[in-house]
Amino acid sequence: MAVITAVIGLAAGGAGNAAEADRHVQGAQPTFETHLHEIGTRGAYDSHAEFVEIANRGPRVLPLGGYRVLATLHSHAVELARIPDDALLRPGAVYLLASARFVGGPPPDQIFSIAEDIPEVFTMTLVTPRGEAVDVVTTVRTLPPCGSPAPRPPNGLCLKRVRFTGDNSKDWAVARCTPGVY
C-alpha cells in the first residue's frame, strides 16, 4: 500500500494553483475505459471518509502506473495521488484511493493524506502519465468545459458516475457510497 501526502489549503506553498488545474481540465474527455467512478467527500460515513475510485469499463487490463489525480479544493490545486508504476486495473474493477482517515469500506489500493477534509466544492481530474486529462468531475459552476456542475452530495452520500456525456450534471448522481465496488 502506497502513502501519498498532499497539503491542501491556502497556506500550502508550491502545490500549484487553480489555473494549473484548469489547464488539465480543458479538453478532458471521458473515456470508455479508465475513468473516475465514485467520489466520497467529508461526511460520506463520518467526517473522515474521503475516497476516489478509478474504474475500468473496458475489455482489457489497463496499466495505471503514472496516472495522477489532481484536486482543486478551495481554489488551490494539488496532486492528490500518483498511481505506482506497477498498478494494473482489470476489466470491471476499481482502484480505490482513500484518505488515511478512511473508515467504512474495504482496504484501499492506495492511501493519501491531506491536511483537511475534501469539501463539497471541488474538482477532480484524472491525468495520464503524459499529462493528458482523461476525465474530470466538478461541483463548481465556473468550469464550462464540463457542462453544468455535478450535484453536491449531502452528508452520508457520494457522487457516482452514471453516464459519459461530458456534462457533469448528467454524468454524476448523488448515490449511496459503495467504495471499492464497481
Side-chain angles (χ1 to χ4, degrees), residues 5 9 33 35 55 57 101-102 108 117 126 130 133 139 150 159 166-167:
T5 302
E33 293 186 330
H35 64 277
R57 62 183 253 149
R101 300 170 298 200
F102 177 75
D117 292 339
L126 179 62
R130 293 182 304 242
T139 61
L159 275 182
D167 182 338

Side-chain angles (χ1 to χ4, degrees), residues 29-150:
Q29 295 297 317
T31 67
F32 289 103
E33 293 186 330
T34 308
H35 64 277
L36 295 168
H37 179 254
E38 184 175 356
I39 298 177
T41 62
R42 68 178 177 209
Y45 297 110
D46 62 19
S47 64
H48 303 294
E50 300 90 6
F51 69 91
V52 177
E53 282 182 351
I54 301 168
N56 177 1
R57 62 183 253 149
R60 60 190 173 93
V61 173
L62 297 173
L64 281 185
Y67 273 73
R68 298 178 297 140
V69 175
L70 305 178
T72 302
L73 314 170
H74 306 293
S75 300
H76 187 78
V78 297
E79 182 177 293
L80 191 64
R82 183 187 177 284
I83 311 300
D85 292 337
D86 60 349
L88 298 173
L89 189 57
R90 314 183 312 281
V94 296
Y95 188 88
L96 180 60
L97 300 165
S99 165
R101 300 170 298 200
F102 177 75
V103 296
D109 295 296
Q110 185 172 335
I111 293 175
F112 59 86
S113 180
I114 56 177
E116 62 183 279
D117 292 339
I118 297 172
E120 293 90 15
V121 178
F122 67 88
T123 299
M124 297 277 177
T125 307
L126 179 62
V127 180
T128 68
R130 293 182 304 242
E132 302 160 332
V134 294
D135 200 6
V136 64
V137 59
T138 185
T139 61
V140 179
R141 292 201 175 279
T142 60
L143 294 171
C146 306
S148 300

Side-chain angles (χ1 to χ4, degrees), residues 157-179:
L157 298 174
C158 297
L159 275 182
K160 192 173 285 190
R161 182 178 289 283
V162 293
R163 290 181 197 86
F164 291 88
T165 70
D167 182 338
N168 280 199
S169 66
K170 296 175 185 171
D171 293 345
W172 293 86
V174 173
R176 185 175 62 84
C177 298
T178 58

